[in-house]
Amino acid sequence: MSPRPKRLRRISNPPIISGFKPYGGSASDNPAGSVFLHYEEYEVLRLCDFKMLNHNQASVIMDISRPTFTRIYAGARAKIAEALVTGKQIIIEGGKIYFDSEWHACLSCGCFFNQPDKIEKPVICPLCGSNKIDHCAEAPEPEIDFHPHCDDQCICMRCGYEKPHVPGNPCKYEQCPECGTHLVRKDMLEKRNK
């Protein structure tokens, strides 16, 4: 029985670099070799560790399941650790991915067309052949309400000010704009009072 085919992973943009090389030490100290980081592994690190999204939010952006996202994330971190510990270079390439398409407009005929390959920029309009091409504004990553049923509130115990709780942002780090007291989670306060 053949394995189940992998679902393509959505990548917002290719990385601005194609890898890293170790610095320092002598060539005889470093074992020869490279660690290959796939584009989807780069993207999970970008979304989780750089943009600070949780796994559920990032998996929605990449159009994959959360468990798959977590497996890719664990593999990417293991590869980065291997490269750092053994002194191997990191090469970013390949993987089962597709890029969000960039859109362009022809200033001669008014045609809108997309460019699936983000690395190569279009030089002519596919409809009229003109080289007068303008890049349309890039669409931002989708804003998705990840907790539509979350009715938690952050509350000030001194003055009673309330605001909706933002998942991933602890209430204890929020301050009341009216009196400056640190907020607490309303449902935790109710559990304590029972």
Side-chain angles (χ1 to χ4, degrees):
M1 195 179 245
S2 63
R4 186 172 153 216
K6 285 185 180 177
R7 184 173 182 170
L8 293 178
R9 287 83 192 241
R10 182 190 313 156
I11 308 297
S12 298
N13 288 301
I16 57 173
I17 53 149
S18 57
F20 288 96
K21 288 188 177 181
Y23 175 76
S26 66
S28 61
D29 293 342
N30 294 332
S34 301
V35 172
F36 290 90
L37 193 69
H38 292 155
Y39 282 130
E40 65 260 27
E41 293 169 326
Y42 160 80
E43 184 74 354
V44 299
L45 292 171
R46 185 184 76 82
L47 292 172
C48 278
D49 296 337
F50 181 70
K51 296 200 94 181
M52 303 303 289
L53 298 176
N54 66 38
H55 288 202
N56 187 47
Q57 294 167 331
S59 66
V60 171
I61 290 171
M62 287 184 67
D63 195 28
I64 56 176
S65 71
R66 202 242 355 115
T68 298
F69 183 91
T70 301
R71 281 192 298 275
I72 295 169
Y73 182 68
R77 290 183 63 133
K79 287 181 179 182
I80 298 294
E82 177 188 352
L84 291 174
V85 171
T86 61
K88 294 181 179 178
Q89 68 177 345
I90 300 171
I91 299 172
I92 306 171
E93 66 179 18
K96 297 286 254 178
I97 55 115
Y98 69 95
F99 292 112
D100 283 345
S101 295
E102 288 188 5
W103 287 87
H104 302 274
C106 176
L107 301 176
S108 297
C109 69
C111 168
F112 287 97
F113 60 96
N114 66 341
Q115 177 67 11
D117 186 4
K118 287 191 168 195
I119 296 170
E120 293 181 24
K121 299 296 180 193
V123 290
I124 61 168
C125 171
L127 190 61
C128 70
S130 170
N131 62 357
K132 297 178 183 174
I133 297 171
D134 187 25
H135 182 264
C136 295
E138 288 187 29
E141 288 178 346
E143 290 188 24
I144 300 166
D145 184 10
F146 294 104
H147 300 281
H149 304 296
C150 181
D151 57 355
D152 286 346
Q153 295 285 320
C154 298
I155 187 169
C156 175
M157 294 183 60
R158 181 180 290 170
C159 68
Y161 169 82
E162 288 186 30
K163 76 174 208 85
H165 174 70
V166 178
N169 191 14
C171 294
K172 65 182 178 181
Y173 299 130
E174 297 280 332
Q175 285 189 330
C176 175
E178 295 175 11
C179 66
T181 305
H182 288 283
L183 303 179
V184 295
R185 191 87 162 265
K186 188 174 184 179
D187 66 343
M188 297 300 274
L189 186 63
E190 290 171 357
K191 287 177 187 174
R192 256 189 262 157
N193 293 336
K194 286 184 180 180

